[in-house]
Amino acid sequence: MEQIMKGIEYRLVGQQDLYFKCNCSFERLRNILSSLSEEEMNKMLNEEGQIEVVCNFCNEVYHYRAEDILKTKKPQTLKSKASFVIYVCYTAL
């Protein structure tokens, strides 16, 4: 600590061991994948018909089958290409 603070006065109020913990999980990443379109998922499929995901933080490797992702896929509502509202005002003469 003295080396880091280099002459700056400080008071140590506690000490705790540091550790690394990643909060990735099979379910969390599956939910993210289920938000992709089928076209995007098909582009990611490997020769075995699986999608491989590697966590950027802990390097854990996960494998998903397309049908398992599709089971968790939420139904999407149809979205129109143009969205607008028309207001019509009537006045009595």
Side-chain angles (χ1 to χ4, degrees):
M1 199 61 178
E2 291 175 11
Q3 188 178 23
I4 294 172
M5 298 305 287
K6 294 185 182 176
I8 299 172
E9 195 173 314
Y10 66 93
R11 183 171 61 107
L12 197 57
V13 294
Q15 190 170 337
Q16 183 178 1
D17 291 335
L18 297 177
Y19 64 93
F20 175 80
K21 181 180 182 310
C22 185
N23 61 357
C24 73
S25 71
F26 185 87
E27 292 78 17
R28 175 179 260 176
L29 293 171
R30 183 185 60 206
N31 289 338
I32 292 169
L33 289 173
S34 71
S35 69
L36 299 174
S37 70
E38 286 190 51
E39 181 181 335
E40 291 170 315
M41 280 194 341
N42 288 331
K43 288 179 185 177
M44 296 175 70
L45 289 172
N46 61 21
E47 294 82 31
E48 292 86 33
Q50 294 184 344
I51 295 174
E52 181 177 282
V53 178
V54 180
C55 177
N56 289 333
F57 299 105
C58 67
N59 291 323
E60 183 73 32
V61 179
Y62 298 95
H63 293 96
Y64 300 91
R65 296 181 317 178
E67 54 268 12
D68 294 333
I69 296 169
L70 291 173
K71 286 179 190 174
T72 62
K73 198 165 185 60
K74 296 177 180 83
Q76 297 179 345
T77 58
L78 294 176
K79 296 178 183 176
S80 64
K81 292 183 180 180
S83 179
F84 55 90
V85 177
I86 299 173
Y87 291 99
V88 179
C89 296
Y90 292 98
T91 55
L93 297 175

